[in-house]
Amino acid sequence: MPPEVQAYQFGLIVVDGQSYDRDLIVFPDRVRAGWWREEGHSLSVADLVEVFDAQPELLIIGRGAHGRMTVPPHTKAALEQKGIEVMVLDTVEAVERYNQERSRRRVTAALHLTC
């Protein structure tokens, strides 16, 4: 079974009983802790190399508690060109959606935990 996000609050997330206080990517078979972006609050194609390699059906992007991380149109387009559906949500909604989808299809969540 893919990892389950059990709790999220500003700056802290619990996945399968393990607490994380830095941004992360939840893959169907593992968690990539300590994920960081080249430009902090702007998501680039280069920030998602591992996601492209994993080829999920769906990538859920958590923009942070207040939605401060942006997803430029070219980043979203690059994912969609590879056949990856993209949802961009504030992190609380992203976590909820990830948990709903994780047993239905191959889903990955890239989550910004703070602002």
Short mmCIF file of all heavy atoms in Angstrom, two decimals, residues 13-36:
data_model
loop_
_atom_site.label_atom_id
_atom_site.label_comp_id
_atom_site.label_asym_id
_atom_site.label_seq_id
_atom_site.Cartn_x
_atom_site.Cartn_y
_atom_site.Cartn_z
N ILE A 13 4.59 17.29 9.04
CA ILE A 13 3.74 16.30 8.40
C ILE A 13 4.13 14.93 8.95
O ILE A 13 5.29 14.70 9.29
CB ILE A 13 3.87 16.37 6.86
CG1 ILE A 13 2.75 15.60 6.18
CG2 ILE A 13 5.25 15.92 6.40
CD1 ILE A 13 2.61 15.92 4.70
N VAL A 14 3.15 14.03 9.04
CA VAL A 14 3.40 12.66 9.50
C VAL A 14 2.97 11.72 8.38
O VAL A 14 1.82 11.75 7.94
CB VAL A 14 2.62 12.34 10.80
CG1 VAL A 14 2.88 10.91 11.23
CG2 VAL A 14 3.00 13.33 11.91
N VAL A 15 3.93 10.90 7.92
CA VAL A 15 3.67 9.93 6.87
C VAL A 15 4.06 8.56 7.41
O VAL A 15 5.21 8.35 7.81
CB VAL A 15 4.49 10.25 5.59
CG1 VAL A 15 4.17 9.24 4.50
CG2 VAL A 15 4.22 11.66 5.12
N ASP A 16 3.08 7.65 7.43
CA ASP A 16 3.31 6.30 7.95
C ASP A 16 4.03 6.30 9.30
O ASP A 16 4.96 5.53 9.54
CB ASP A 16 4.09 5.45 6.93
CG ASP A 16 3.23 5.00 5.77
OD1 ASP A 16 1.99 5.10 5.86
OD2 ASP A 16 3.80 4.54 4.77
N GLY A 17 3.60 7.19 10.19
CA GLY A 17 4.15 7.24 11.53
C GLY A 17 5.45 8.01 11.68
O GLY A 17 5.92 8.22 12.79
N GLN A 18 6.04 8.46 10.59
CA GLN A 18 7.30 9.20 10.63
C GLN A 18 7.01 10.70 10.47
O GLN A 18 6.30 11.09 9.54
CB GLN A 18 8.21 8.73 9.49
CG GLN A 18 9.50 9.50 9.33
CD GLN A 18 10.50 9.21 10.44
OE1 GLN A 18 10.65 8.09 10.86
NE2 GLN A 18 11.14 10.25 10.92
N SER A 19 7.56 11.51 11.36
CA SER A 19 7.37 12.97 11.29
C SER A 19 8.47 13.61 10.45
O SER A 19 9.63 13.22 10.54
CB SER A 19 7.42 13.57 12.70
OG SER A 19 6.34 13.10 13.46
N TYR A 20 8.06 14.61 9.66
CA TYR A 20 8.99 15.37 8.82
C TYR A 20 8.71 16.85 9.03
O TYR A 20 7.55 17.25 9.10
CB TYR A 20 8.78 15.04 7.34
CG TYR A 20 8.98 13.59 6.99
CD1 TYR A 20 7.92 12.70 7.03
CD2 TYR A 20 10.24 13.11 6.62
CE1 TYR A 20 8.10 11.36 6.71
CE2 TYR A 20 10.43 11.77 6.29
CZ TYR A 20 9.35 10.90 6.34
OH TYR A 20 9.53 9.58 6.03
N ASP A 21 9.78 17.65 9.09
CA ASP A 21 9.60 19.09 9.25
C ASP A 21 10.20 19.87 8.07
O ASP A 21 10.41 21.07 8.16
CB ASP A 21 10.18 19.57 10.57
CG ASP A 21 11.67 19.32 10.72
OD1 ASP A 21 12.31 18.79 9.77
OD2 ASP A 21 12.21 19.65 11.79
N ARG A 22 10.45 19.18 6.98
CA ARG A 22 10.92 19.81 5.75
C ARG A 22 10.08 19.30 4.58
O ARG A 22 9.51 18.21 4.64
CB ARG A 22 12.40 19.49 5.49
CG ARG A 22 13.30 20.03 6.58
CD ARG A 22 14.76 19.89 6.19
NE ARG A 22 15.62 20.25 7.29
CZ ARG A 22 16.07 21.47 7.52
NH1 ARG A 22 15.77 22.45 6.72
NH2 ARG A 22 16.86 21.71 8.55
N ASP A 23 10.04 20.08 3.53
CA ASP A 23 9.27 19.70 2.35
C ASP A 23 9.66 18.30 1.89
O ASP A 23 10.79 17.86 2.10
CB ASP A 23 9.50 20.69 1.23
CG ASP A 23 9.01 22.10 1.57
OD1 ASP A 23 8.41 22.27 2.65
OD2 ASP A 23 9.21 23.01 0.76
N LEU A 24 8.71 17.62 1.25
CA LEU A 24 8.96 16.25 0.83
C LEU A 24 8.13 15.88 -0.38
O LEU A 24 7.21 16.60 -0.76
CB LEU A 24 8.71 15.27 1.97
CG LEU A 24 7.39 15.35 2.75
CD1 LEU A 24 6.24 14.80 1.96
CD2 LEU A 24 7.53 14.59 4.04
N ILE A 25 8.50 14.75 -0.97
CA ILE A 25 7.72 14.16 -2.05
C ILE A 25 7.32 12.77 -1.59
O ILE A 25 8.17 11.97 -1.16
CB ILE A 25 8.51 14.08 -3.36
CG1 ILE A 25 8.99 15.47 -3.80
CG2 ILE A 25 7.64 13.46 -4.46
CD1 ILE A 25 9.88 15.46 -5.04
N VAL A 26 6.03 12.48 -1.67
CA VAL A 26 5.52 11.16 -1.31
C VAL A 26 5.27 10.40 -2.61
O VAL A 26 4.39 10.75 -3.39
CB VAL A 26 4.22 11.27 -0.48
CG1 VAL A 26 3.75 9.89 -0.07
CG2 VAL A 26 4.42 12.16 0.74
N PHE A 27 6.08 9.37 -2.83
CA PHE A 27 5.95 8.51 -3.99
C PHE A 27 5.11 7.29 -3.62
O PHE A 27 4.92 7.01 -2.43
CB PHE A 27 7.33 8.06 -4.47
CG PHE A 27 8.16 9.16 -5.06
CD1 PHE A 27 9.09 9.84 -4.29
CD2 PHE A 27 8.02 9.51 -6.39
CE1 PHE A 27 9.87 10.85 -4.83
CE2 PHE A 27 8.79 10.52 -6.95
CZ PHE A 27 9.71 11.20 -6.16
N PRO A 28 4.66 6.51 -4.57
CA PRO A 28 3.87 5.31 -4.25
C PRO A 28 4.63 4.29 -3.41
O PRO A 28 4.02 3.50 -2.70
CB PRO A 28 3.53 4.72 -5.62
CG PRO A 28 3.56 5.88 -6.56
CD PRO A 28 4.66 6.77 -6.02
N ASP A 29 5.97 4.33 -3.46
CA ASP A 29 6.76 3.32 -2.76
C ASP A 29 7.76 3.88 -1.75
O ASP A 29 8.50 3.13 -1.13
CB ASP A 29 7.53 2.48 -3.79
CG ASP A 29 8.48 3.31 -4.64
OD1 ASP A 29 8.36 4.56 -4.65
OD2 ASP A 29 9.36 2.71 -5.29
N ARG A 30 7.77 5.20 -1.57
CA ARG A 30 8.77 5.78 -0.67
C ARG A 30 8.48 7.27 -0.43
O ARG A 30 7.64 7.85 -1.11
CB ARG A 30 10.16 5.64 -1.25
CG ARG A 30 10.36 6.40 -2.55
CD ARG A 30 11.69 6.05 -3.22
NE ARG A 30 11.71 6.47 -4.60
CZ ARG A 30 12.03 7.68 -5.04
NH1 ARG A 30 12.38 8.62 -4.18
NH2 ARG A 30 12.01 7.98 -6.32
N VAL A 31 9.22 7.83 0.52
CA VAL A 31 9.15 9.27 0.80
C VAL A 31 10.52 9.86 0.53
O VAL A 31 11.54 9.34 0.99
CB VAL A 31 8.73 9.53 2.27
CG1 VAL A 31 8.81 11.01 2.60
CG2 VAL A 31 7.34 8.99 2.53
N ARG A 32 10.55 10.95 -0.20
CA ARG A 32 11.79 11.69 -0.45
C ARG A 32 11.77 12.90 0.47
O ARG A 32 11.10 13.89 0.21
CB ARG A 32 11.86 12.10 -1.93
CG ARG A 32 12.78 13.25 -2.26
CD ARG A 32 14.26 12.88 -2.17
NE ARG A 32 15.05 13.82 -2.93
CZ ARG A 32 15.50 14.98 -2.46
NH1 ARG A 32 15.23 15.36 -1.24
NH2 ARG A 32 16.24 15.76 -3.21
N ALA A 33 12.47 12.77 1.61
CA ALA A 33 12.50 13.84 2.61
C ALA A 33 13.51 14.91 2.21
O ALA A 33 14.43 14.66 1.43
CB ALA A 33 12.85 13.25 3.97
N GLY A 34 13.34 16.11 2.75
CA GLY A 34 14.28 17.19 2.53
C GLY A 34 14.28 17.73 1.11
O GLY A 34 15.28 18.24 0.63
N TRP A 35 13.13 17.64 0.44
CA TRP A 35 13.01 18.15 -0.93
C TRP A 35 13.08 19.68 -0.92
O TRP A 35 12.45 20.32 -0.09
CB TRP A 35 11.68 17.67 -1.51
CG TRP A 35 11.32 18.21 -2.85
CD1 TRP A 35 12.05 18.11 -4.00
CD2 TRP A 35 10.14 18.94 -3.18
NE1 TRP A 35 11.38 18.73 -5.03
CE2 TRP A 35 10.20 19.25 -4.55
CE3 TRP A 35 9.02 19.36 -2.46
CZ2 TRP A 35 9.21 19.95 -5.21
CZ3 TRP A 35 8.03 20.06 -3.12
CH2 TRP A 35 8.13 20.34 -4.48
N TRP A 36 13.87 20.23 -1.82
CA TRP A 36 13.98 21.68 -1.90
C TRP A 36 13.98 22.09 -3.36
O TRP A 36 14.38 21.33 -4.24
CB TRP A 36 15.24 22.18 -1.20
CG TRP A 36 15.22 23.68 -1.04
CD1 TRP A 36 16.09 24.56 -1.58
CD2 TRP A 36 14.28 24.47 -0.31
NE1 TRP A 36 15.75 25.86 -1.24
CE2 TRP A 36 14.62 25.82 -0.45
CE3 TRP A 36 13.14 24.16 0.46
CZ2 TRP A 36 13.91 26.87 0.13
CZ3 TRP A 36 12.44 25.19 1.03
CH2 TRP A 36 12.83 26.53 0.88
#
